[in-house]
Amino acid sequence: MLDSLIVPLFVTTDLPPDADLAGFGELLAETVRELGGGYPGSLTGRVFWLDRPVLPEQRPAAEGELRFAGMLGHLAATGPDHTVREVVGDVRRAVGAAVTARYGDVGVAPAVFAIRDQDIHERTPDTALPIPTHTATSTLSRL
């Protein structure tokens, strides 16, 4: 039996104003399927917009203004001898490359943080969209 490490994650990045939030979730799920040294990963979670607060008269946002997106979820990294630090670093590199490949240079690399499991349950907005989980492990899907 392979070892698995489950890491609660928070991912944030700027996206172009026409970016599709569901597409961003799919990109994250696809990106973590194979990490770093070739070990598999599986992501479950939800994606959402973290737009800046604006007054009603400031809407709609200026055309071309980047939008801030977030993801809260769990990553299962399969294989022996992984540390949280290594896994988060591998996810950070993979997500940075994938976001740049899909959306171009948005100015700042995506941020990827290990967080407390409780934060996911407390801070995920009700309006967040689920990430498609075609290959989630049974342990991960119970979280």
Side-chain angles (χ1 to χ4, degrees):
M1 182 171 106
L2 292 176
D3 294 330
S4 286
L5 178 65
I6 298 176
V7 182
L9 288 178
F10 177 44
V11 176
T12 65
T13 191
D14 287 326
L15 295 177
D18 60 345
D20 174 57
L21 191 57
F24 174 61
E26 290 172 13
L27 176 68
L28 293 177
E30 275 298 314
T31 298
V32 302
R33 285 196 177 162
E34 188 163 322
L35 293 167
Y39 60 94
S42 179
L43 183 66
T44 61
R46 297 172 72 86
V47 292
F48 48 92
W49 294 117
L50 285 164
D51 290 327
R52 65 182 171 85
V54 294
L55 299 172
E57 61 270 15
Q58 293 173 311
R59 294 194 187 270
E63 193 170 312
E65 184 176 312
L66 295 174
R67 295 188 73 187
F68 196 46
M71 186 284 307
L72 286 164
H74 295 91
L75 173 84
T78 305
D81 301 325
H82 296 300
T83 67
V84 170
R85 182 183 207 100
E86 291 168 337
V87 169
V88 170
D90 289 343
V91 172
R92 186 176 292 123
R93 284 183 288 281
V95 168
V99 166
T100 299
R102 166 115 12 124
Y103 303 108
D105 182 7
V106 292
V108 178
V112 178
F113 304 97
I115 59 173
R116 299 176 312 142
D117 184 61
Q118 184 176 348
D119 288 331
I120 293 171
H121 301 292
E122 291 176 355
R123 299 182 187 274
T124 302
D126 294 336
T127 58
L129 301 176
I131 294 172
T133 55
H134 306 293
T135 61
T137 64
S138 60
T139 301
L140 196 54
S141 62
R142 288 194 306 259
L143 294 174

